[in-house]
Amino acid sequence: MDNFIDLPSGDDLVNPAIPLRENFSEIRESVRALCAKFPGSYWREKDQERGYPEEFVSALTAAGYLGALIPEQYGGSGLPISAASAILEEVHRAGCNGAACHAQMYMMGTLLRHGSPQQKQQYLPEIASGDLRLQAFGVTEPNTGSDTTRLRTLAIRDGNEYVVNGQKIWTSRAEYSDLLLLLARTTPLEETQSRREGLSVFLVDMRSVEGLEIRPIRTMINHATTELFFTDMRIPADSLIGEEGQGFSYILDGMNAERILIGSESIGDARFFIERATQYAKDRDIFGGPIGKNQGIQFPIARAYANMSAARLMVFKAAALFEAGEAAGPSANMAKLLAGDAAWEAADMCMQTFGGFGFAEEYDIERKFRESRLYQIAPISTNMILGYIGQHVLGLPRSY
């Protein structure tokens, strides 16, 4: 394409000219057609019973969408992250929930970039086909939270194995995943010179291990999140991804993809709310006309649309930088921040537009309202992103 976003010279965030990405219209249309088979009634039932949307995930897998980022040589589609972004945006725009399976997309980078040829050949074809699921990401711990470098789960080498002891929390989809991407210490914190040292990444086959306990955590949304307990869990030494002790940098490398794709979901949520509110404001006729003619209804919808559109451009920018191999950290974090804010603003606006009907389950507003709130705090909170921008972009003193 010949269209470019020109960035001002002298700006601290200046990057090479960024081509506007392809819209992936055919993919978007196909995703919408697939999602139409899973209407609000399907998601309301899953929400009420806290059930995993197995049928939806299987359909996405069969259509090749969950293997979008896996290279063709391993049975995937070999698409760029902007295509995956389009897929998840449309999933959420349709009122569905990609959180049931999105981790497989953004976790793939760690294995693709740092895994051995043997690991890629062993796992990627089966992940692409759906015979294996890589949905669980074990990072956060109850006593360290977002302070990842202080995590305490230990993986100690013992011959041809590692012995893992510790605990993880907010590890979503562990009950429905075959594989777990695990971040653990291979060197105790007190024996390192830097908190970033001594962390390693493992690909754990949860089907065959002993010493792993999974406890579900019931939350305000149907997110299938869990707590993990490792008690002398033995895993093969070749479960290690890349070099021992380099795990923190590997995880950081993959977090930009996570931010971009989660931001895309939030854009989809915002579009869902805006489209629902717009239609309702046209159809709801009281006091002698449609409520959408009133500025108190119309202007919040218009503002939500404007803010969503601006956030969407930041998601596009972050994806373009990521694909070009440029430094994408600031843009990816701002994309997630702005998209999350846009979705939450749109959610509040939509609830206000629907009034009492917004609280009724049959309209799906209250369900999506709850789901969109998650991305103010997960997978990284808005305050953590603001601290990142303050320190790493603006050069302000470290705040955390």
Side-chain angles (χ1 to χ4, degrees):
M1 297 181 66
D2 296 324
N3 298 320
F4 289 86
I5 300 172
D6 293 319
L7 300 175
S9 59
D11 194 304
D12 289 337
L13 297 178
V14 68
N15 295 107
I18 306 167
L20 289 171
R21 73 179 191 179
E22 181 184 347
N23 192 45
F24 300 101
S25 299
E26 291 184 3
I27 290 178
R28 289 177 180 274
E29 184 177 347
S30 297
V31 172
R32 286 196 293 270
L34 185 152
C35 289
K37 300 175 183 178
F38 299 91
S41 57
Y42 172 82
W43 294 99
R44 289 194 296 274
E45 180 180 346
K46 295 298 181 184
D47 185 64
Q48 290 167 0
E49 66 186 26
R50 290 297 192 265
Y52 186 72
E54 181 68 43
E55 303 84 358
F56 177 70
V57 175
S58 295
L60 283 179
T61 303
Y65 294 130
L66 294 189
L69 299 180
I70 298 177
E72 291 182 88
Q73 70 186 92
Y74 298 113
S77 303
L79 294 172
I81 196 169
S82 52
S85 174
I87 291 168
L88 291 176
E89 179 185 327
E90 292 299 334
V91 165
H92 279 247
R93 180 188 177 191
C96 303
N97 189 352
C101 50
H102 60 195
Q104 185 156 302
M105 287 184 170
Y106 61 70
M107 288 164 54
M108 201 60 61
T110 302
L111 179 57
L112 284 172
R113 296 187 183 194
H114 307 291
S116 67
Q118 293 79 9
Q119 288 172 326
K120 295 176 187 178
Q121 191 59 54
Q122 179 180 356
Y123 293 113
L124 289 177
E126 289 193 81
I127 293 173
S129 68
D131 293 330
L132 277 180
R133 283 185 179 168
L134 173 57
Q135 294 287 2
F137 193 20
V139 176
T140 306
E141 296 184 1
N143 294 322
T144 55
S146 297
D147 195 357
T148 304
T149 57
R150 294 190 182 277
L151 64 81
R152 291 288 178 175
T153 295
L154 280 177
I156 302 300
R157 184 71 180 258
D158 182 21
N160 293 324
E161 296 178 311
Y162 282 90
V163 182
V164 183
N165 284 280
Q167 183 181 356
K168 298 292 180 180
I169 198 169
W170 311 127
T171 302
S172 299
R173 302 162 299 275
E175 296 173 286
Y176 307 98
S177 181
D178 301 305
L179 305 175
L180 165 71
L181 196 66
L182 174 67
L183 183 65
R185 283 209 159 274
T186 43
T187 303
L189 178 60
E190 52 273 13
E191 296 179 17
T192 62
Q193 295 181 343
S194 168
R195 289 185 301 165
R196 296 187 173 209
E197 295 178 357
L199 291 164
S200 300
V201 178
F202 300 89
L203 189 60
V204 179
D205 189 336
M206 294 191 291
R207 298 170 301 172
S208 58
V209 296
E210 297 181 357
L212 168 62
E213 181 184 358
I214 303 174
R215 296 182 188 174
I217 301 174
R218 189 174 177 88
T219 63
M220 67 180 284
I221 59 174
N222 183 25
H223 199 63
T225 198
T226 67
E227 198 169 8
L228 305 182
F229 296 86
F230 310 105
T231 305
D232 293 330
M233 183 182 77
R234 289 184 172 270
I235 56 176
D238 61 9
S239 301
L240 177 71
I241 293 181
E243 297 181 28
E244 185 176 294
Q246 299 300 310
F248 189 70
S249 63
Y250 298 163
I251 293 296
L252 284 181
D253 191 37
M255 283 184 174
N256 288 332
E258 176 191 67
R259 309 285 191 261
I260 293 167
L261 294 178
I262 295 297
S264 301
E265 292 186 347
S266 289
I267 293 298
D269 283 338
R271 295 183 72 184
F272 168 87
F273 289 122
I274 292 166
E275 290 168 6
R276 290 294 180 95
T278 299
Q279 191 61 53
Y280 186 82
K282 292 176 180 179
D283 295 340
R284 181 67 167 161
D285 194 320
I286 54 176
F287 297 111
I291 63 173
K293 73 176 183 179
N294 301 311
Q295 293 180 0
I297 296 295
Q298 184 180 124
F299 285 7
I301 300 175
R303 182 174 292 278
Y305 179 82
N307 289 337
M308 177 278 296
S309 298
R312 194 168 186 245
L313 284 176
M314 182 56 76
V315 174
F316 288 179
K317 174 185 175 182
L321 289 173
F322 186 88
E323 290 171 0
E326 300 288 342
S331 293
N333 275 279
M334 287 187 284
K336 194 273 178 185
L337 171 74
L338 295 174
D341 285 348
W344 185 234
E345 177 191 14
D348 186 63
M349 171 278 297
C350 190
M351 182 69 78
Q352 199 69 22
T353 301
F354 271 73
F357 289 106
F359 289 89
E361 291 182 352
E362 67 181 283
Y363 288 88
D364 293 311
I365 305 304
E366 64 85 26
R367 173 178 61 84
K368 294 295 289 181
F369 182 91
R370 288 182 282 117
E371 291 173 358
S372 67
R373 182 62 177 83
L374 174 66
Y375 295 134
Q376 292 290 302
I377 57 173
I380 182 174
S381 74
T382 53
N383 285 340
M384 292 291 287
I385 293 178
L386 292 172
Y388 171 88
I389 295 170
Q391 179 185 351
H392 296 286
V393 177
L394 301 179
L396 293 170
R398 181 184 178 95
S399 64
Y400 62 88

